[in-house]
Amino acid sequence: MNFNAIYQLAKRIPRGRVITYGQIAKSVRLPGGARAAGRAMANCPVGQAIPWHRVVGAGGRLLLSEPNVSLQRKLLEAEGVPVAERRILDFAVRQWRPVRRRA
DNA sequence: CATCTGACGACCG
DNA sequence: GCGGTCGCCAGAT
């Protein structure tokens, strides 16, 4: 699969903002939906400066497992994103929406 | 070929 | 809020 489009989009996520797997899938019209986006991130290549920690589940939930979820939380808080146990508090405001031309 | 397993998400009780 | 179902899909066993 060519997940490149996803990684490119991920790179555009502004610091201090987040996006969901579902949104990504929708934005790049990824066949397979959110789950495919999840696979892409799980396969996320290191060394390409991809802010993987800014990708969360629907509703602003952190879906990773330990110990990665702890790291994600740490990274998010480091850029000013408040996180409760496994959930972004003001998700509605923190959510980033990529610019897409014409619905 | 049958199952299981995920960095998913919408729905329902 | 929580747990279960279902649609979705690629790989691994």
Side-chain angles (χ1 to χ4, degrees):
Chain A
M1 291 325 232
N2 176 29
F3 295 133
N4 203 36
I6 295 180
Y7 302 138
Q8 289 304 315
L9 177 61
K11 287 183 184 176
R12 296 175 45 199
I13 306 175
R15 191 171 175 286
R17 310 294 294 286
V18 297
I19 194 175
T20 68
Y21 298 98
Q23 274 183 6
I24 291 178
K26 191 177 173 187
S27 297
V28 304
R29 290 166 184 67
L30 182 67
R35 206 142 198 171
R39 282 199 306 278
M41 295 316 289
N43 200 336
C44 180
V46 293
Q48 287 186 38
I50 299 175
W52 57 271
H53 60 279
R54 295 179 193 152
V55 184
V56 301
R61 288 201 201 41
L62 306 190
L63 305 177
L64 286 66
S65 52
E66 294 293 349
N68 286 330
V69 63
S70 292
L71 175 58
Q72 180 174 31
R73 174 179 178 175
K74 184 176 179 179
L75 291 171
L76 287 174
E77 294 182 323
E79 19 183 275
V81 179
V83 177
E85 285 304 300
R86 283 169 177 251
R87 180 174 174 180
I88 293 176
L89 299 183
D90 54 353
F91 173 66
V93 192
R94 292 287 165 174
Q95 187 175 39
W96 176 68
R97 314 214 166 182
V99 192
R100 45 164 150 153
R101 8 236 129 168
R102 302 188 313 168

